[in-house]
Amino acid sequence: YSAKAHFISTLNQTIMEKILQDIFSAFENFKKDATANIEKGNKAAGTRARKTSNDIAKMLKAYRALSVENDKN
């Protein structure tokens, strides 16, 4: 286990933690907007919820890629 591998692993973990916090935050926004769209018929909130769901999907893919890379080291 080289120093370089340790550094990369630590960096990946830090980035993964940041992505995880971003996912949690985005999901809170998604819940708020999706609820407004469903319960109140707010079309703008529906648009925001759909955009946020795409953003969350991208963050999940990034998290998965880093997780797989980190597990290989």
Side-chain angles (χ1 to χ4, degrees):
Y1 197 67
S2 71
K4 181 179 177 182
H6 178 69
F7 174 76
I8 291 172
S9 177
T10 303
L11 182 61
N12 282 351
Q13 288 176 351
T14 302
I15 294 169
M16 288 168 55
E17 290 171 2
K18 171 70 171 113
I19 291 172
L20 190 58
Q21 291 304 315
D22 290 348
I23 290 169
F24 290 154
S25 176
F27 190 75
E28 288 300 317
N29 291 332
F30 170 79
K31 285 192 321 187
K32 179 185 67 166
D33 288 332
T35 301
N37 178 242
I38 293 167
E39 293 179 356
K40 300 176 185 172
N42 184 327
K43 292 180 183 180
T47 300
R48 288 191 302 272
R50 289 188 297 276
K51 181 188 180 310
T52 302
S53 70
N54 285 332
D55 294 342
I56 292 170
K58 291 175 187 175
M59 287 185 273
L60 288 169
K61 287 178 184 178
Y63 180 89
R64 182 183 186 286
L66 284 170
S67 178
V68 168
E69 179 183 333
N70 203 42
D71 288 348
K72 288 180 180 177
N73 293 329

